């Protein structure tokens, strides 16, 4: 029998003798006493065990496993931190795409139409006859325009309202209340009020085949009024705006 085994069995027998007595009850040990005996027995075995050259050592595999686990946890944390950044990048691209899409939508939704179609009087055509600067502020025998603002000039747009039917046609602009806006060389002006033959306020009856010359009055700077070729006109009838084909 090996020497280490003999020592072990001897220690076990010694412990049995210490814990037992002749005809006496087993002695009850405290937790601290049990720990002391166990520690002493382990030290004796360790001392006489020739195969335990390095004593009590830590199993290396556990350390490697812990390091691998820590590395995996670190990689998981880094992946979680990177994923929101990717989502944010995708969200930013999506937002930018939506913004670009909104910017590409046309801002000007005003449709083009003739004044005849916009006003819609049966059998009455409204034909644009041109734009001009009045030679005099006196437009009729009983009406004279007030002076324009300093540095400004009046501009008049003329239309002929012609009845192409065989019976007289009544034209009532007050029912429609059209509002006209003109543009000229980058400037904008709303039509002013005149007392005679005003297109915005005309009330009358046009005989078959007859025409009425109706006008719109605007006020622009002298610089803008120096060139009338860029004249444009928009009309608003009951909230619907149309760019007039002149």
């Amino acid at each position: 029998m090996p020497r280490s085994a003999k020592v072990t069995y001897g220690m076990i027998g010694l412990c049995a003798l210490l814990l037992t007595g002749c005809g006496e009850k087993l002695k009850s040990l405290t937790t601290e006493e049990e720990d002391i005996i166990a520690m002493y027995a382990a030290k004796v075995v360790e001392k006489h065990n020739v195969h335990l050259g390095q004593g009590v050592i830590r199993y290396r595999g556990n350390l490697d496993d812990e390091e691998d686990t820590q590395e995996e946890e670190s990689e998981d944390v880094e992946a979680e931190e990177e994923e929101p950044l990717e989502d944010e990048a995708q969200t930013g691209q999506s937002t930018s795409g939506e913004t670009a899409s909104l910017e590409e939508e046309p801002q000007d939704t005003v449709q083009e139409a003739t004044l005849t179609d916009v006003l819609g009087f049966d059998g009455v055509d409204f034909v644009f006859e041109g734009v001009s600067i009045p030679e005099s502020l006196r437009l009729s025998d009983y009406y004279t325009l007030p002076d324009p603002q300093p540095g400004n000039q009046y501009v008049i747009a003329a239309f002929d309202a012609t009845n192409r039917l065989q019976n007289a046609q009544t034209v009532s602009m007050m029912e429609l209340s059209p509002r006209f806006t003109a543009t000229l060389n980058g400037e904008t002006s709303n039509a002013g009020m005149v007392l005679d033959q005003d297109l915005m306020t005309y009330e009358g009856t046009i005989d078959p085949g007859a025409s009425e010359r109706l006008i719109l009055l605007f006020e622009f700077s002298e610089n803008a009024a120096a060139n009338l070729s860029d004249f444009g006109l928009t009309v608003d009838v009951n909230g619907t705006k149309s760019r007039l084909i002149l």
Side-chain angles (χ1 to χ4, degrees):
M1 179 181 295
R3 180 182 177 185
S4 59
K6 292 179 180 180
V7 173
T8 301
Y9 290 142
M11 292 302 301
I12 294 174
L14 176 62
C15 292
L17 291 175
L18 293 174
L19 296 175
T20 60
C22 297
E24 295 181 2
K25 295 182 179 179
L26 293 177
K27 184 178 179 180
S28 176
L29 299 178
T30 63
T31 302
E32 293 181 357
E33 291 173 341
E34 291 177 354
D35 292 340
I36 291 172
I37 294 173
M39 181 63 70
Y40 178 78
K43 289 293 184 180
V44 172
V45 173
E46 178 184 351
K47 180 179 180 180
H48 297 280
N49 187 1
V50 294
H51 298 287
L52 190 60
Q54 297 180 356
V56 179
I57 63 173
R58 181 177 181 182
Y59 178 53
R60 183 62 181 174
N62 292 339
L63 180 59
D64 295 338
D65 293 342
E66 290 180 2
E67 291 179 352
D68 293 341
T69 303
Q70 292 177 355
E71 290 178 358
E72 292 177 358
E73 292 177 353
S74 177
E75 291 176 356
D76 293 340
V77 172
E78 292 177 357
E80 291 177 357
E81 293 178 351
E82 291 177 357
E83 286 179 358
L85 295 178
E86 293 177 357
D87 294 340
E88 291 176 1
Q90 293 177 358
T91 304
Q93 292 176 357
S94 176
T95 304
S96 300
E98 293 176 358
T99 303
S101 176
L102 292 175
E103 291 177 353
E104 290 174 1
E105 292 180 0
Q107 300 296 325
D108 188 359
T109 59
V110 179
Q111 297 182 350
E112 291 188 344
T114 64
L115 185 58
T116 300
D117 293 335
V118 172
L119 298 180
F121 291 107
D122 291 339
V124 180
D125 294 335
F126 293 85
V127 180
F128 180 64
E129 294 298 330
V131 59
S132 62
I133 297 175
E135 297 180 357
S136 172
L137 296 179
R138 188 174 181 83
L139 298 182
S140 66
D141 294 339
Y142 58 89
Y143 182 69
T144 301
L145 291 173
D147 293 332
Q149 294 294 325
N152 287 355
Q153 179 70 60
Y154 286 123
V155 174
I156 291 178
F159 287 84
D160 277 348
T162 302
N163 180 9
R164 52 183 172 78
L165 299 181
Q166 299 299 319
N167 55 325
Q169 296 295 315
T170 299
V171 176
S172 177
M173 291 293 181
M174 296 298 291
E175 295 179 0
L176 300 177
S177 298
R179 293 178 296 173
F180 293 88
T181 301
T183 58
L184 183 61
N185 298 318
E187 294 185 8
T188 302
S189 175
N190 295 323
M193 189 70 66
V194 294
L195 297 180
D196 190 25
Q197 301 301 99
D198 191 333
L199 178 57
M200 291 192 302
T201 59
Y202 179 77
E203 298 285 323
T205 299
I206 303 177
D207 294 332
S211 296
E212 289 286 347
R213 174 61 59 89
L214 305 177
I215 63 173
L216 295 171
L217 181 69
F218 301 97
E219 186 174 345
F220 289 97
S221 69
E222 293 180 350
N223 291 334
N227 183 5
L228 302 179
S229 61
D230 190 41
F231 183 82
L233 197 58
T234 301
V235 61
D236 185 331
V237 177
N238 296 325
T240 301
K241 292 182 180 181
S242 302
R243 185 183 297 106
L244 296 182
I245 301 173
L246 303 178

